Amino acid sequence: MQDLRELNEAIAAIKQEILDHAGELESSRGVYEFKKGFLDSKKGKLSQLMKEMRNIPNESKAEFGKNVNAAKEWAVNFFEELDTKLKAEELKRRYESEKIDITMPAVQPKYGNLHPITTVRNQLTEIFASMGFEVYEGTEIETDFYNFTALNTPQDHPARDMQDTFYLSPEFLLRTQTSAGQIHVMQSKKPPIKVVSPGKVFRSDDDATHSPMFSQMEGLVVDEGINLCDLQGSLNMFVQQIFGEQTTTRLRPSYFPFTEPSVEVDVSCFQCGGKGCKLCKGTGWIEVLGAGVVNKKVLENCGIDSEKYSGFAFGLGLERIAMLKYGINNIKLLFESDLRVLDQIDD
Ligand code: PHE
């Protein structure tokens, strides 16, 4: 037989236990676990008190039952309030941690842009297209015939030493110059001819201004009565568009087996206007390309009547133009794909 008073004290002790430990609870999950210890229908301390019912004298049963139920109800409410409070706190903490600072500078999306060589190639192609030139793209692997022999540079010709060649076999090679395209064009087309031929070329050459792979653009015009003046006139128009209206050209005698006469073409320095500066090494002029009047032998090699027709040809390095235009002093910067460099070149 249990004393009702003792049992009521047990109820009070349980309530006290709940109150004592409730402060340690930090999360809704914690409340749930803690609550089970008291209210779980089997193992909960309050539920178990009901088992004492059978030990209680009949006249006290009703009161004891009422007290346990009251304690249960109190506990349910107590835990519910605590749970609501902790859930609110949890939410507040989450909001704090997930807070977005809208005053922070946004991450700028990066847009890609064309590589400077592509840009220069497009610009040059457009300029020549506006002057009526067609575009012919040759192949990077060529035969010795197209790259040299047909261009009046037979085996053992000393001019072969001007270009250190990567041979793939005695017959095939990586083209050293887009001039190889001249022959293809003249074999397949009869005058009037007006083409530019951009593309990659290869030479065993490697320093700050030379790379084993680089890009050239060839120009070829063949028609009746074409001479060196036509060449200079066309090149003047071209350099004015690429380097500015004040730019002019000067021709210096040179040698290429496939042109006669041959010239090196300089442009007046677009940085100092010809006075002399670091870029033009104090001379007022910058060398940009090789050119000349197409050698009669080359026309004849392609079955073109050299008595009736004449032509001019020029070849320029796209990297060289890009380096001059963008002030780049090492050709390797154009091939390393370093975004810190490329990001600065955009037009
Ligand atoms: N092919 C020559 C070179 O690569 C350039 C050139 C082209 C010269 C056409 C004259 C005429 O050096």
Side-chain angles (χ1 to χ4, degrees), residues 76-91:
V76 167
N77 286 336
F78 177 83
F79 285 127
E80 211 169 271
E81 267 173 40
L82 186 61
D83 190 54
T84 311
K85 192 178 123 212
L86 290 180
K87 269 195 179 130
E89 281 175 17
E90 271 170 40
L91 197 66

Side-chain angles (χ1 to χ4, degrees), residues 141-144 165-175:
I141 293 177
E142 267 298 356
T143 60
D144 186 274
T165 312
F166 291 115
Y167 278 92
L168 303 173
S169 70
E171 188 188 358
F172 290 100
L173 46 79
L174 295 180
R175 69 175 170 196

Side-chain angles (χ1 to χ4, degrees), residues 13-267:
I14 290 173
K15 280 169 106 174
Q16 195 54 49
E17 190 186 341
I18 292 174
L19 290 172
D20 287 349
H21 294 285
E24 298 160 14
L25 300 174
E26 286 175 349
S27 66
S28 172
R29 176 93 213 150
V31 173
Y32 175 78
E33 294 297 336
F34 184 66
K35 186 170 87 172
K36 275 206 293 200
F38 301 93
L39 292 172
D40 184 86
S41 57
K42 281 191 191 126
K43 292 190 187 131
K45 284 183 182 172
L46 283 168
S47 316
Q48 286 196 331
L49 270 182
M50 277 300 193
K51 287 188 190 150
E52 299 295 333
M53 193 64 98
R54 64 184 117 101
N55 302 324
I56 292 178
N58 278 345
E59 65 276 16
S60 304
K61 277 193 195 320
E63 194 187 341
F64 175 67
K66 223 172 75 189
N67 287 352
V68 174
N69 279 334
K72 271 187 170 178
E73 205 179 302
W74 170 86
V76 167
N77 286 336
F78 177 83
F79 285 127
E80 211 169 271
E81 267 173 40
L82 186 61
D83 190 54
T84 311
K85 192 178 123 212
L86 290 180
K87 269 195 179 130
E89 281 175 17
E90 271 170 40
L91 197 66
K92 206 172 141 204
R93 275 201 299 276
R94 221 182 87 195
Y95 283 160
E96 281 298 324
S97 72
E98 290 176 4
K99 207 155 110 182
I100 295 167
D101 182 355
I102 56 165
T103 65
M104 268 178 56
V107 179
Q108 293 292 335
K110 284 209 167 189
Y111 298 104
N113 53 289
L114 293 176
H115 190 277
I117 296 301
T118 310
T119 307
V120 165
R121 179 184 157 146
N122 290 349
Q123 283 174 349
L124 265 52
T125 311
E126 245 168 68
I127 292 171
F128 284 109
S130 75
M131 296 198 255
F133 284 72
E134 289 173 60
V135 177
Y136 166 82
E137 283 187 70
T139 52
E140 287 166 14
I141 293 177
E142 267 298 356
T143 60
D144 186 274
F145 175 79
Y146 282 98
N147 195 81
F148 288 125
T149 308
L151 284 161
N152 194 33
T153 323
Q155 289 283 345
D156 304 327
H157 192 290
R160 286 209 180 196
D161 291 346
M162 287 164 81
Q163 302 170 1
D164 255 327
T165 312
F166 291 115
Y167 278 92
L168 303 173
S169 70
E171 188 188 358
F172 290 100
L173 46 79
L174 295 180
R175 69 175 170 196
T176 59
Q177 49 189 354
T178 44
S179 302
Q182 286 187 30
I183 307 299
H184 288 287
V185 171
M186 285 191 278
Q187 278 182 345
S188 61
K189 230 172 126 38
K190 293 301 146 212
I193 292 171
K194 231 175 159 185
V195 287
V196 281
S197 180
K200 287 183 185 139
V201 297
F202 306 84
R203 289 180 200 180
S204 181
D205 207 353
D206 203 2
D207 60 31
T209 51
H210 297 89
S211 152
M213 187 279 293
F214 63 105
S215 321
Q216 280 190 333
M217 184 179 275
E218 192 83 4
L220 174 72
V221 174
V222 182
D223 202 350
E224 287 179 41
I226 296 292
N227 58 39
L228 211 57
C229 293
D230 299 309
L231 168 73
Q232 192 164 24
S234 302
L235 291 178
N236 276 343
M237 276 179 75
F238 156 67
V239 297
Q240 279 160 13
Q241 291 194 58
I242 199 104
F243 294 118
E245 263 177 42
Q246 312 305 320
T247 320
T248 54
T249 56
R250 121 182 139 170
L251 309 184
R252 281 182 293 111
S254 183
Y255 175 75
F256 299 103
F258 36 90
T259 44
E260 183 56 41
S262 302
V263 291
E264 292 291 344
V265 180
D266 296 343
V267 291

